[in-house]
PDB file of all heavy atoms in Angstrom:
ATOM      1  N   GLN A   3     -23.721 -13.009  -5.367  1.00 96.00           N
ATOM      2  CA  GLN A   3     -23.680 -14.441  -5.126  1.00 96.00           C
ATOM      3  C   GLN A   3     -22.911 -15.141  -6.231  1.00 96.00           C
ATOM      4  O   GLN A   3     -22.967 -14.732  -7.388  1.00 96.00           O
ATOM      5  CB  GLN A   3     -25.091 -15.027  -5.051  1.00 96.00           C
ATOM      6  CG  GLN A   3     -25.865 -14.632  -3.817  1.00 96.00           C
ATOM      7  CD  GLN A   3     -27.180 -15.374  -3.708  1.00 96.00           C
ATOM      8  OE1 GLN A   3     -27.918 -15.477  -4.690  1.00 96.00           O
ATOM      9  NE2 GLN A   3     -27.470 -15.896  -2.536  1.00 96.00           N
ATOM     10  N   LEU A   4     -22.197 -16.195  -5.858  1.00 97.00           N
ATOM     11  CA  LEU A   4     -21.481 -17.026  -6.810  1.00 97.00           C
ATOM     12  C   LEU A   4     -22.050 -18.428  -6.735  1.00 97.00           C
ATOM     13  O   LEU A   4     -22.171 -18.997  -5.646  1.00 97.00           O
ATOM     14  CB  LEU A   4     -19.982 -17.069  -6.496  1.00 97.00           C
ATOM     15  CG  LEU A   4     -19.085 -15.961  -7.058  1.00 97.00           C
ATOM     16  CD1 LEU A   4     -19.477 -14.602  -6.494  1.00 97.00           C
ATOM     17  CD2 LEU A   4     -17.628 -16.270  -6.751  1.00 97.00           C
ATOM     18  N   VAL A   5     -22.389 -18.984  -7.881  1.00 96.00           N
ATOM     19  CA  VAL A   5     -22.974 -20.312  -7.933  1.00 96.00           C
ATOM     20  C   VAL A   5     -22.159 -21.193  -8.864  1.00 96.00           C
ATOM     21  O   VAL A   5     -22.040 -20.901 -10.057  1.00 96.00           O
ATOM     22  CB  VAL A   5     -24.437 -20.269  -8.400  1.00 96.00           C
ATOM     23  CG1 VAL A   5     -25.008 -21.679  -8.470  1.00 96.00           C
ATOM     24  CG2 VAL A   5     -25.269 -19.411  -7.467  1.00 96.00           C
ATOM     25  N   GLU A   6     -21.607 -22.278  -8.312  1.00 96.00           N
ATOM     26  CA  GLU A   6     -20.825 -23.228  -9.094  1.00 96.00           C
ATOM     27  C   GLU A   6     -21.714 -24.330  -9.648  1.00 96.00           C
ATOM     28  O   GLU A   6     -22.749 -24.666  -9.069  1.00 96.00           O
ATOM     29  CB  GLU A   6     -19.722 -23.866  -8.238  1.00 96.00           C
ATOM     30  CG  GLU A   6     -18.677 -22.898  -7.733  1.00 96.00           C
ATOM     31  CD  GLU A   6     -18.724 -22.737  -6.236  1.00 96.00           C
ATOM     32  OE1 GLU A   6     -19.823 -22.826  -5.661  1.00 96.00           O
ATOM     33  OE2 GLU A   6     -17.655 -22.528  -5.634  1.00 96.00           O
ATOM     34  N   SER A  17     -12.534 -36.011 -18.286  1.00 98.00           N
ATOM     35  CA  SER A  17     -12.581 -34.556 -18.275  1.00 98.00           C
ATOM     36  C   SER A  17     -13.856 -34.057 -17.619  1.00 98.00           C
ATOM     37  O   SER A  17     -14.869 -34.748 -17.579  1.00 98.00           O
ATOM     38  CB  SER A  17     -12.503 -34.003 -19.699  1.00 98.00           C
ATOM     39  OG  SER A  17     -11.306 -34.380 -20.347  1.00 98.00           O
ATOM     40  N   ALA A  24     -21.285 -15.283 -11.247  1.00 96.00           N
ATOM     41  CA  ALA A  24     -21.525 -14.277 -10.225  1.00 96.00           C
ATOM     42  C   ALA A  24     -22.723 -13.432 -10.621  1.00 96.00           C
ATOM     43  O   ALA A  24     -22.853 -13.026 -11.775  1.00 96.00           O
ATOM     44  CB  ALA A  24     -20.295 -13.383 -10.046  1.00 96.00           C
ATOM     45  N   ARG A  71     -12.673 -17.022 -18.564  1.00 97.00           N
ATOM     46  CA  ARG A  71     -13.788 -16.247 -18.028  1.00 97.00           C
ATOM     47  C   ARG A  71     -14.518 -15.504 -19.132  1.00 97.00           C
ATOM     48  O   ARG A  71     -13.947 -15.185 -20.180  1.00 97.00           O
ATOM     49  CB  ARG A  71     -13.319 -15.268 -16.948  1.00 97.00           C
ATOM     50  CG  ARG A  71     -12.387 -14.167 -17.433  1.00 97.00           C
ATOM     51  CD  ARG A  71     -11.813 -13.361 -16.269  1.00 97.00           C
ATOM     52  NE  ARG A  71     -12.770 -12.408 -15.723  1.00 97.00           N
ATOM     53  CZ  ARG A  71     -12.553 -11.640 -14.649  1.00 97.00           C
ATOM     54  NH1 ARG A  71     -11.409 -11.757 -13.985  1.00 97.00           N
ATOM     55  NH2 ARG A  71     -13.478 -10.785 -14.232  1.00 97.00           N
ATOM     56  N   VAL A  92     -13.337 -30.690  -2.991  1.00 98.00           N
ATOM     57  CA  VAL A  92     -14.402 -29.720  -3.156  1.00 98.00           C
ATOM     58  C   VAL A  92     -13.774 -28.492  -3.798  1.00 98.00           C
ATOM     59  O   VAL A  92     -12.783 -27.961  -3.291  1.00 98.00           O
ATOM     60  CB  VAL A  92     -15.060 -29.337  -1.820  1.00 98.00           C
ATOM     61  CG1 VAL A  92     -16.115 -28.256  -2.036  1.00 98.00           C
ATOM     62  CG2 VAL A  92     -15.695 -30.563  -1.177  1.00 98.00           C
ATOM     63  N   CYS A  95     -15.130 -21.497  -6.209  1.00 98.00           N
ATOM     64  CA  CYS A  95     -14.748 -20.370  -7.043  1.00 98.00           C
ATOM     65  C   CYS A  95     -14.700 -19.112  -6.200  1.00 98.00           C
ATOM     66  O   CYS A  95     -15.340 -19.007  -5.151  1.00 98.00           O
ATOM     67  CB  CYS A  95     -15.699 -20.191  -8.236  1.00 98.00           C
ATOM     68  SG  CYS A  95     -17.364 -19.643  -7.814  1.00 98.00           S
ATOM     69  N   ARG A 110     -15.953  -2.540  -2.968  1.00 95.00           N
ATOM     70  CA  ARG A 110     -15.178  -3.615  -3.563  1.00 95.00           C
ATOM     71  C   ARG A 110     -14.920  -4.666  -2.493  1.00 95.00           C
ATOM     72  O   ARG A 110     -14.460  -4.342  -1.397  1.00 95.00           O
ATOM     73  CB  ARG A 110     -13.855  -3.090  -4.121  1.00 95.00           C
ATOM     74  CG  ARG A 110     -13.121  -4.084  -5.005  1.00 95.00           C
ATOM     75  CD  ARG A 110     -11.853  -3.482  -5.593  1.00 95.00           C
ATOM     76  NE  ARG A 110     -12.112  -2.372  -6.496  1.00 95.00           N
ATOM     77  CZ  ARG A 110     -12.447  -2.487  -7.781  1.00 95.00           C
ATOM     78  NH1 ARG A 110     -12.576  -3.697  -8.324  1.00 95.00           N
ATOM     79  NH2 ARG A 110     -12.647  -1.417  -8.524  1.00 95.00           N
ATOM     80  N   ASP A 112     -14.497  -9.322  -1.727  1.00 96.00           N
ATOM     81  CA  ASP A 112     -14.238 -10.670  -2.226  1.00 96.00           C
ATOM     82  C   ASP A 112     -15.417 -11.579  -1.903  1.00 96.00           C
ATOM     83  O   ASP A 112     -16.007 -11.489  -0.831  1.00 96.00           O
ATOM     84  CB  ASP A 112     -12.975 -11.248  -1.591  1.00 96.00           C
ATOM     85  CG  ASP A 112     -11.752 -10.405  -1.856  1.00 96.00           C
ATOM     86  OD1 ASP A 112     -11.746  -9.634  -2.834  1.00 96.00           O
ATOM     87  OD2 ASP A 112     -10.784 -10.520  -1.074  1.00 96.00           O
ATOM     88  N   TRP A 114     -17.161 -15.749  -2.387  1.00 97.00           N
ATOM     89  CA  TRP A 114     -16.894 -17.178  -2.560  1.00 97.00           C
ATOM     90  C   TRP A 114     -18.154 -17.927  -2.927  1.00 97.00           C
ATOM     91  O   TRP A 114     -19.256 -17.580  -2.491  1.00 97.00           O
ATOM     92  CB  TRP A 114     -16.327 -17.781  -1.273  1.00 97.00           C
ATOM     93  CG  TRP A 114     -14.986 -17.272  -0.902  1.00 97.00           C
ATOM     94  CD1 TRP A 114     -14.691 -16.156  -0.190  1.00 97.00           C
ATOM     95  CD2 TRP A 114     -13.728 -17.878  -1.230  1.00 97.00           C
ATOM     96  NE1 TRP A 114     -13.338 -16.022  -0.050  1.00 97.00           N
ATOM     97  CE2 TRP A 114     -12.726 -17.062  -0.676  1.00 97.00           C
ATOM     98  CE3 TRP A 114     -13.371 -19.025  -1.934  1.00 97.00           C
ATOM     99  CZ2 TRP A 114     -11.378 -17.365  -0.804  1.00 97.00           C
ATOM    100  CZ3 TRP A 114     -12.038 -19.325  -2.073  1.00 97.00           C
ATOM    101  CH2 TRP A 114     -11.054 -18.503  -1.504  1.00 97.00           C
ATOM    102  N   GLY A 117     -19.167 -24.136  -3.267  1.00 96.00           N
ATOM    103  CA  GLY A 117     -18.357 -25.317  -3.487  1.00 96.00           C
ATOM    104  C   GLY A 117     -19.094 -26.392  -4.251  1.00 96.00           C
ATOM    105  O   GLY A 117     -20.305 -26.543  -4.130  1.00 96.00           O
ATOM    106  N   SER A 123     -12.479 -41.264  -9.814  1.00 96.00           N
ATOM    107  CA  SER A 123     -12.298 -42.657  -9.437  1.00 96.00           C
ATOM    108  C   SER A 123     -11.189 -43.293 -10.257  1.00 96.00           C
ATOM    109  O   SER A 123     -10.981 -42.956 -11.423  1.00 96.00           O
ATOM    110  CB  SER A 123     -13.596 -43.443  -9.621  1.00 96.00           C
ATOM    111  OG  SER A 123     -13.988 -43.473 -10.992  1.00 96.00           O
TER     112      SER A 123
END
Side-chain angles (χ1 to χ4, degrees):
Q3 290 187 314
L4 274 63
V5 179
E6 296 113 327
S17 300
R71 65 188 283 176
V92 177
C95 69
R110 192 177 296 277
D112 301 338
W114 294 86
S123 63

